[in-house]
Every structure is written in C-alpha cells, then in structure tokens.
Amino acid sequence: MYFVDCCEDNKSESCDIFDGEWVPDEDIPVYTNNTCRWIESHQNCMGNGRPDTGYIFWKWSPKACELPRFDARTFLGMMRDKSWAFVGDSINRNHLQSFICLLSQVEDAVELYHDPDYKNRKWHFPSYNLTVSVIWSPFYAKADIFEDINGVSSSEIELHTDILDKTWTEQFHTWDYVIFSAGKWFIKSAIYYENKSVLGCHGCNGKNNYTDVGFNFAYRKILKNVFKFILKSSPKNMIIFRTSTPDHFENGEWSSGGRCDRTVPANEGEFKMNELNRILREIELPEITKAEAEASEKGMKLKLLDVTPLSLLRPDGHPGPYRHFYPFAKDKKAKVQYDCLHWCLPGPIDNWNDLLMNLVVNG
C-alpha cells in the first residue's frame, strides 16, 4: 500500500498529512533546471543565478506518519489513459510546472498546444496516453481584464459573478482529475456584475457611486457557483481544491519594495498570515467543507489539498530577485522587482505533489 496509516495509538485512523513540519532532506532534487525544460524563466531560480541551494534540501514530514515522496513511475502507471487539468491562476500554473517536471523524469512530456501567451497549454505522455492541461482562469468566472504584461491596470476588472468561465466549463467533462486553485486575483480592484447589472465593487474608490462590497463577497459567491456546477456534473471526475498560498513579502509589498531574502524555513508561529490571505482562507475552508460533504453523499470524489500552513513556513522558497536573470551581475546594489509570491523550481512546491499523490492514491 502506498500510504501508511496513522499508528501512534495502533488504531487504523487516517493520518493528517497537513499537520507536520519541515525537516532536513539529504536527497538531491528529482529534477533541476537542466533536466526539466518546462520551468518558466521567472521560477528558474538556479538558472537565474540564485547562489544558495539550501532551500531545496527540506521535505514536509507529517507528525503522525510517513509521507512517501512522489513516485512518478508509479503515478504514470496509475494514470494510463487519463486526463488532468490545473484550473486557476499563475500559482496553479507554477504547481503544474512542478508536476510536469516530476513526471518528465520518467518520460518527457510532448506539448500538444499552447495559446499565444502560453497561459493555456496541454501536454501528452505518449507511453501512458496521459494528457495534462493548464487552464488560465484566475477568477473561475467571466472576467474582462485590462492589464499589461507587467500587471499594470488601465481600468478596473469587470467580473461577472454569475457566469463561470467557459474556458474551463466547456472542457470540464473531458477531464478525469481537476485541480482548482486561485484567490489572489480577487484582491485586485474590480466591478462586480450579476445579470449584466452592477452589484458593487472592490477598491473602486467610489467610482460612479458604486458600493464597495469587498472582494470576499465576490470570492465566496463565485466559489459557491463553482461547487454548484461541479456537484451537478458527472461524478466520474476527481476534484481537488488546493487552498491559496501566502506570500512572504517583508518591508513592503509587490509594488512597494517588498523583499524575501531568507534562506531557511521559518519557525512555527514566526510568520502570520496577513489579513488578505486570512480572509481568503476563511472563505475557502467552509465552502470546501460543505461541498465535500455534499459530494460524498452523491458518491463523488472532492478533496481538499491544504497547502497553506506548510507553505507559510517557507519564506525561503520564492524567487525573490531571481525572477530575473542574474539580477546583480552588473550592479550588486541594483533595485529589482522581488517575487515573494510564486515558488522556485525545484523547491518547496514539489512537496505539494507528495500530498497530491497521497490524496489520489487514498481518495
């Protein structure tokens, strides 16, 4: 059996794999930037010149049981003739890259499709007839976004809370396994619509006298609609909802000089979730709990992948200034944009797939 049940009291109770700690790991990473060609440049910390490597030599260890590492060969064997999709934002795409890199150490993926911006892509593992897709849908719902490539907005996002994004809904029935994860984009300024009428807004500074109802209003409403759609659909899919992950900006934020220079995991309690991340989590957990219960009654598989607490302890795992290629090569004091939100590859995010395999095998 792949997973060892909790056995401290010799009872056959399932172990809480999300309750644990980061422990040193002497094993070298399964892949590197030289052995996986699917790492996007902004997460290629090694290739971009990050000088320390200690952040890759840790593994997540549940307190009450052993968590096996992701076994790509076993996983591929289980997934013969199956299809996977990662639906959500850029952090979900970050997770997808880790997933593809791990599998590609057994058989390199063949890319079947990408859109012009490389936000929607599809791969195939020929020997196993496994397809893996990534779908860009940061709100899960229809949204008109007015941003340039650097994330600079020319106007508020127009978000239709009652219309799910057909980019994923029209393909949903074709997938056997789907991972949903988003959240961060809801923090952006937006005008909310329902039945083509304005419901309110978030961060619109009184524009047109719209009522600021807060991003929590839209996130909760859309999550309810997502789960309603899933629960009405075919029960053949296994649905995994991954919680949103905290950032680790210190002394500022993304646009105000925030940094993340740590090189080791944080101690328990050292980092607290900021208010925005806390609100996201307070919305996600009750909604997924209700959806899980209803799915179970219908014989459907809907699982929670709760990576928030373990990710909170890894301020060392972000690209920081090494989202850029050798950022200090010409000037050691150069002012560069830090990324303390996404994750280095390889890095802590690879451990998410240990947890993912556990959910799939024991689901």
Side-chain angles (χ1 to χ4, degrees), residues 142-208:
K142 179 182 177 183
D144 298 314
I145 301 171
F146 308 96
E147 284 191 358
D148 63 20
I149 194 170
N150 296 314
V152 178
S153 300
S154 58
S155 183
E156 292 89 355
I157 294 163
E158 296 179 357
L159 179 59
H160 299 263
T161 62
D162 58 335
I163 305 174
L164 293 178
D165 183 0
K166 65 180 182 180
T167 308
W168 70 265
T169 59
E170 290 183 350
Q171 301 181 70
F172 181 78
H173 69 283
T174 69
W175 299 321
D176 298 297
Y177 296 84
V178 190
I179 297 182
F180 288 93
S181 187
K184 294 292 188 182
W185 275 68
F186 284 87
I187 297 171
K188 295 174 179 279
S189 298
I191 298 171
Y192 303 141
Y193 292 82
E194 186 172 88
N195 295 323
K196 299 182 180 180
S197 298
V198 175
L199 278 177
C201 68
H202 166 63
C204 56
N205 299 318
K207 184 175 181 178
N208 296 330

Side-chain angles (χ1 to χ4, degrees), residues 85-244:
F86 288 68
V87 178
D89 57 18
S90 59
I91 301 177
N92 214 28
R93 188 166 68 240
N94 198 177
H95 184 189
L96 172 280
Q97 293 171 56
S98 168
F99 183 77
I100 288 285
C101 283
L102 290 168
L103 295 179
S104 290
Q105 302 313 295
V106 174
E107 179 178 69
D108 194 22
V110 176
E111 188 170 30
L112 300 179
Y113 165 81
H114 66 76
D115 65 7
D117 295 325
Y118 287 83
K119 289 185 175 180
N120 296 284
R121 304 173 75 176
K122 186 175 183 178
W123 293 265
H124 186 229
F125 292 87
S127 298
Y128 301 89
N129 194 30
L130 166 66
T131 59
V132 180
S133 302
V134 61
I135 307 297
W136 170 251
S137 187
F139 293 103
Y140 305 134
K142 179 182 177 183
D144 298 314
I145 301 171
F146 308 96
E147 284 191 358
D148 63 20
I149 194 170
N150 296 314
V152 178
S153 300
S154 58
S155 183
E156 292 89 355
I157 294 163
E158 296 179 357
L159 179 59
H160 299 263
T161 62
D162 58 335
I163 305 174
L164 293 178
D165 183 0
K166 65 180 182 180
T167 308
W168 70 265
T169 59
E170 290 183 350
Q171 301 181 70
F172 181 78
H173 69 283
T174 69
W175 299 321
D176 298 297
Y177 296 84
V178 190
I179 297 182
F180 288 93
S181 187
K184 294 292 188 182
W185 275 68
F186 284 87
I187 297 171
K188 295 174 179 279
S189 298
I191 298 171
Y192 303 141
Y193 292 82
E194 186 172 88
N195 295 323
K196 299 182 180 180
S197 298
V198 175
L199 278 177
C201 68
H202 166 63
C204 56
N205 299 318
K207 184 175 181 178
N208 296 330
N209 292 319
Y210 295 150
T211 301
D212 195 322
V213 295
F215 71 87
N216 52 330
F217 167 85
Y219 191 35
R220 183 178 288 108
K221 192 174 189 67
I222 290 174
L223 274 189
K224 287 179 181 294
N225 287 339
V226 168
F227 289 130
K228 183 178 180 181
F229 174 88
I230 291 171
L231 292 165
K232 282 187 174 181
S233 301
S234 169
K236 81 180 184 73
N237 314 63
M238 180 172 186
I239 310 301
I240 297 163
F241 182 86
R242 182 178 59 72
T243 54
S244 55

